[in-house]
Amino acid sequence: MTGHGGRRTQAQRDAITVEIGYALLSAAFAAAVLFGAVAGPALLFELPGTVERVLLRVGLIGMPVVFLVRVASVLARFPAQRPAGPPVTTAGHTHATSRDTDGKTPRPGGQPSQPGRTSPDS
């Protein structure tokens, strides 16, 4: 359900699914890169026991943290569905919508519907 009580369209559901998939895959990639960068030297080279354990633990603790932060940041940027509201305001001015030549189709920004025609208040 959206914020205004309506149902989501198939396109909206598809967009959300794609965004969730992208968030999960990019988070898994980021977590793997972090683990490889931090714990990789401990796995590849023979290091002192304490250094090796610290690097592995930091890598293992950092992975889920990076994963969760990445998922949250990607999904937080996804635009929320907003119900139609009042006209758009710019610098304190409200832009009315003009009508097309048939008088039915609203035009954003008060622009004329055809090139060469002017709006009465322009």
Side-chain angles (χ1 to χ4, degrees), residues 61-120:
I61 291 170
M63 274 179 40
V65 171
V66 167
F67 183 86
L68 293 174
V69 168
R70 177 65 183 166
V71 168
S73 69
V74 168
L75 294 180
R77 288 191 314 239
F78 188 70
Q81 296 298 322
R82 295 183 180 97
V88 177
T89 59
T90 306
H93 300 306
T94 302
H95 296 286
T97 59
S98 64
R99 301 273 176 199
D100 201 346
T101 54
D102 62 3
K104 296 177 185 171
T105 308
R107 292 279 182 189
Q111 293 296 313
S113 60
Q114 296 177 359
R117 298 185 69 184
T118 58
S119 179

Side-chain angles (χ1 to χ4, degrees), residues 4 7 10 15 21 26 33-38 40 49 52 56 66 70-73 75 82 94 96 101 115-116:
H4 56 84
R7 304 195 90 197
Q10 184 63 42
S26 68
V33 167
L34 173 91
F35 181 78
V38 173
E52 191 172 307
L56 285 172
V66 167
R70 177 65 183 166
V71 168
S73 69
L75 294 180
R82 295 183 180 97
T94 302
T101 54

Side-chain angles (χ1 to χ4, degrees), residues 26-55:
S26 68
F29 179 76
V33 167
L34 173 91
F35 181 78
V38 173
L43 298 172
L44 292 175
F45 305 113
E46 203 167 312
L47 300 173
T50 306
V51 174
E52 191 172 307
R53 280 192 305 274
V54 167
L55 288 176

